[in-house]
Amino acid sequence: MKDSDCVEPLDEIIRVMNDAQGLDLSIFDATFLRKAIDARRLLHGLKTVAAYGAYLAQEESEALELGRSLRITYTEFFRNPLTFALLEQMILPGLVEARRKSGGGEIRVWSAGCAAGQEAWSMAMLLDERIGSDTRTISFRLFATDLSESDLALARAGVYSAEEVGNVSARRLRDYFSRKGDSFTIIPRLRERVEFSVYDLLDHDSASPATSIYGDFDLILCCNVLFYYRRDIRRQILDKLCRALSPGGYFVTGEAEKDMVIRHKGLSVVTPPAAVFKKTPGSSG
């Protein structure tokens, strides 16, 4: 799809979706938006974006489906091995040791755009392993958020297929899941440490999920979310997440988004190959 062929039809689609769904498509990255529209257009056998726009204006159900397609997210347990290795071997041990030296307390983590929960549960496993039996003085709380109620329902259920837990080691499957046939369910002890809730990263009236009360996170993960949005929208999201980090806190993004974050004021790379950043001293976000 060439820019010259789709600017006006794309604007019309944006208008139709705003009227029909109250959804502002202009916030999305243009390339991502065009690919999503093309996928729906081809599904219906329509030859042009203009033809799809006309179809969209007539079919309310299609407006719903296009909206859903723009919110589809995907994640896996322990996705991006390099990132999780760095978290397991360096970042989390450092956070736990700092808590021990200060007399204990709670380690607070936010998984933003958690989809069906695999990322949040992966982090909960790592934290549980690192803290071990030292739960009298050190604990952790993980806040996981998404826009999709249906994804959050799956995350809260914590039930995954054998294929979905393919990246989980045999030891962790034994320690953190109960198995029934080919279904694996997160154990109650881990569930007590994770709270799932709806949250819009573009909400200008709040700084962090209401369930977290005051933000101040030691670690924030926002993976495979930023590349959906325009550059200025990404900056707004990153500014908000930086403000929610505690001094010296860590920020994790997807490997494909590392270059989008690397020049953001207030964040510095921890180890260049991995998409893990640290809040710089004196930064307010």
Side-chain angles (χ1 to χ4, degrees):
M1 193 189 319
K2 297 179 181 178
D3 285 352
S4 58
D5 294 333
C6 69
V7 171
E8 291 182 5
L10 195 61
D11 287 344
E12 177 62 13
I13 288 172
I14 290 171
R15 185 194 66 76
V16 169
M17 287 297 290
N18 193 50
D19 291 346
Q21 298 292 313
L23 182 61
D24 182 10
L25 301 194
S26 69
I27 66 173
F28 292 107
D29 174 77
T31 300
F32 164 69
L33 182 58
R34 290 169 186 170
K35 286 181 179 179
I37 289 170
D38 263 352
R40 297 301 304 174
R41 174 179 66 80
L42 293 170
L43 181 66
H44 293 291
L46 298 168
K47 292 184 178 180
T48 66
V49 176
Y52 178 74
Y55 177 75
L56 187 70
Q58 295 171 359
E59 299 291 336
E60 184 178 349
S61 61
E62 179 56 25
L64 285 168
E65 290 304 320
L66 176 59
R68 287 194 188 104
S69 74
L70 294 168
R71 294 190 177 103
I72 289 175
T73 51
Y74 173 76
T75 188
E76 299 173 352
F77 284 100
F78 299 99
R79 190 177 187 181
N80 298 337
L82 178 61
T83 294
F84 273 95
L86 185 62
L87 288 167
E88 181 179 9
Q89 297 169 21
M90 175 181 161
I91 306 301
L92 297 186
L95 289 176
V96 172
E97 184 60 26
R99 283 293 185 280
R100 287 198 175 112
K101 288 181 178 178
S102 65
E106 184 179 72
I107 295 173
R108 295 166 58 83
V109 179
W110 179 9
S111 173
C114 67
Q118 291 96 323
E119 175 184 271
W121 295 125
S122 298
M123 283 303 308
M125 290 180 219
L126 293 185
L127 282 160
D128 186 78
E129 289 172 349
R130 177 54 53 182
I131 293 171
S133 60
D134 191 12
T135 54
R136 283 189 173 184
T137 56
I138 303 174
S139 63
F140 72 90
R141 177 67 57 189
L142 203 150
F143 303 89
T145 64
D146 203 274
L147 271 175
S148 170
E149 285 278 15
S150 57
D151 277 348
L152 288 168
L154 293 173
R156 291 187 190 102
V159 180
Y160 302 94
S161 67
E163 182 179 1
E164 288 173 316
V165 298
N167 288 346
V168 183
S169 68
R171 177 179 59 78
R172 286 175 178 148
L173 284 176
R174 182 189 67 239
D175 291 347
Y176 295 111
F177 294 83
S178 59
R179 181 174 183 176
K180 186 175 182 180
D182 288 331
S183 293
F184 294 80
T185 303
I186 297 290
I187 61 171
R189 179 166 60 84
L190 213 58
R191 291 172 180 276
E192 294 171 359
R193 297 295 180 182
V194 184
E195 296 184 28
F196 293 97
S197 63
V198 173
Y199 185 73
D200 185 353
L201 287 168
L202 299 180
D203 181 358
H204 297 294
D205 296 325
S206 64
S208 62
T211 53
S212 73
I213 303 177
Y214 56 86
D216 196 27
F217 297 101
D218 300 289
L219 171 66
I220 296 177
L221 302 100
C222 185
C223 303
N224 308 304
V225 171
L226 296 173
F227 54 52
Y228 291 122
Y229 296 103
R230 293 187 332 234
R231 183 178 298 178
D232 59 317
I233 302 296
R234 292 175 200 155
R235 191 181 308 115
Q236 289 178 31
I237 293 172
L238 284 170
D239 285 345
K240 170 179 279 195
L241 297 176
C242 280
R243 288 192 295 269
L245 277 172
S246 62
Y250 293 91
F251 176 75
V252 177
T253 192
E255 291 181 358
E257 298 163 308
K258 182 173 64 174
D259 289 343
M260 299 176 185
V261 180
I262 203 162
R263 292 182 180 86
H264 189 77
K265 184 179 179 181
L267 293 171
S268 59
V269 179
V270 173
T271 301
V276 180
F277 301 81
K278 188 171 185 178
K279 187 171 182 176
T280 53
S283 172
S284 59

